[in-house]
Each structure stands twice: as C-alpha cells, then as structure tokens.
Amino acid sequence: MDHAVIIREYMPDDKRRVMNLIRLNTPEYFAPEEEADLSEYLDRWRELYYVLETGGEIVGCGGINFADHHTTGKISWDIIHPAWQRKSLGTRLLQFRLEKLKSIAGIRRITVRTSQAAYRFYQKRGFVLNEIKKDYWADGLDLYGMEYKGNVLPSRE
C-alpha cells in the first residue's frame, strides 16, 4: 500500500463506484435489499459523505448525519473494498469523521448503527454497545446501536 490515501467529499459522479462497494460487501456486511437504501441515501438523505481513494481508485466511503437538533453526529454507511480491508483504511476514514465531528460546535454525542458483522471494529475504536435489535436490517442481520465513548468531546456552546 504505497499509494497516498486521500479522503475527500463525495460527488454525485462517485455514485456508481460507491454502489459497487456495497455489492462487493454483500451479503457479508450488508443485506441485498440495503443496496436500494444506500442509493436513496446518496440521492436524498446524505448530509456529509466522504470517499477514500488510493491510486485514483475509490476503495472506501462513509458518512456523517445529524440528529437531536444537530447535537448528535451519526456515523453512517461505512464501506471498504474487501481487498482493502484490514489495512487501517476503515480506521483512517472513521478517525477523519470523528475529528470532523469533534470540531463542530454543539455536537454532544456520536453514534453508529451497525451489525454483528462489524460492531467489533467500532468497539475497538471507542464505541460502546447500547442495544441489539434482532433481524433489524434483514433476517439474520441484527442492529447493533453504539455510542462513542473515546476521547471526550469538547464542550462548546
């Protein structure tokens, strides 16, 4: 992995390549029906979304959404190309967004909703499991609701 890693804002022209990433991670990390959800998210619900490139190729993506009157930052739609997993790229993309959220005045909480397939990734990086909902995403794919308890968020008014 000698290529430089670039994290940049998502652009609509990236959609085809992002949609390919979810296909490459289905069914291990995503249910087939989530592909349509991601497409709608990118078109209608995306707030802050980023792609991770190396060697000119998009090999990861992930977003931030807001809730609770802009006091909660929600880590959303993390996807890393299978060939690039376990190379610290997911950690870099998550850390980039955590730093972004920590810099936004008024953010008090950071959460993520994931599944049993990925919750340990977040747990190792400071997230604590708060809830499990069986078969939430699809049959056999449970929701794991987690909250970031790593470095304390700055108090900003």
Side-chain angles (χ1 to χ4, degrees), residues 68-86:
D68 305 320
H69 304 288
H70 227 75
T71 62
T72 298
K74 297 165 40 175
I75 299 296
S76 57
W77 287 109
D78 285 344
I79 313 171
I80 300 291
H81 190 294
W84 290 89
Q85 291 171 7
R86 292 167 192 68

Side-chain angles (χ1 to χ4, degrees), residues 145-157:
M146 305 182 80
E147 184 172 348
Y148 184 66
K149 299 291 186 182
N151 295 335
V152 177
L153 293 175
S155 178
R156 296 182 182 193
E157 297 305 320

Side-chain angles (χ1 to χ4, degrees), residues 4-8 14 17 51-60:
V5 173
I6 297 165
I7 298 173
R8 64 166 174 80
D14 297 325
R17 294 184 291 169
V51 295
L52 185 146
E53 292 183 331
T54 185
E57 179 185 357
I58 293 177
V59 298

Side-chain angles (χ1 to χ4, degrees), residues 132-149:
I132 298 173
K133 292 183 181 176
K134 291 286 185 195
D135 300 323
Y136 181 87
W137 306 111
D139 284 346
L141 210 50
D142 306 334
L143 177 143
Y144 277 58
M146 305 182 80
E147 184 172 348
Y148 184 66
K149 299 291 186 182

Side-chain angles (χ1 to χ4, degrees), residues 4-155:
V5 173
I6 297 165
I7 298 173
R8 64 166 174 80
E9 287 190 33
Y10 168 89
M11 296 179 293
D13 287 350
D14 297 325
K15 185 174 181 182
R16 180 185 53 77
R17 294 184 291 169
V18 168
M19 295 307 297
N20 188 53
L21 290 177
I22 195 172
R23 288 181 201 110
L24 292 170
N25 281 282
T26 302
E28 187 174 357
Y29 293 102
F30 296 96
E33 52 268 33
E34 288 181 277
E35 186 176 326
D37 295 340
L38 176 59
S39 180
E40 183 176 359
Y41 170 84
L42 291 171
D43 292 342
R44 299 185 60 212
W45 306 113
R46 168 177 48 90
E47 291 182 77
L48 298 176
Y49 204 70
Y50 302 94
V51 295
L52 185 146
E53 292 183 331
T54 185
E57 179 185 357
I58 293 177
V59 298
C61 52
I64 297 171
N65 287 81
F66 299 96
D68 305 320
H69 304 288
H70 227 75
T71 62
T72 298
K74 297 165 40 175
I75 299 296
S76 57
W77 287 109
D78 285 344
I79 313 171
I80 300 291
H81 190 294
W84 290 89
Q85 291 171 7
R86 292 167 192 68
K87 298 181 188 298
S88 299
L89 296 181
T91 300
R92 286 175 74 166
L93 184 58
L94 178 61
Q95 191 62 41
F96 173 85
R97 288 173 296 152
L98 290 173
E99 293 303 319
K100 175 85 59 187
L101 283 164
K102 289 176 187 180
S103 75
I104 298 173
I107 295 294
R108 300 281 180 262
R109 296 175 64 225
I110 299 173
T111 63
V112 67
R113 297 185 325 157
T114 189
S115 72
Q116 69 269 32
Y119 90 95
R120 284 186 183 89
F121 168 84
Y122 296 100
Q123 193 173 50
K124 290 176 186 173
R125 287 150 186 89
F127 285 81
V128 174
L129 182 62
N130 289 334
E131 68 173 333
I132 298 173
K133 292 183 181 176
K134 291 286 185 195
D135 300 323
Y136 181 87
W137 306 111
D139 284 346
L141 210 50
D142 306 334
L143 177 143
Y144 277 58
M146 305 182 80
E147 184 172 348
Y148 184 66
K149 299 291 186 182
N151 295 335
V152 177
L153 293 175
S155 178

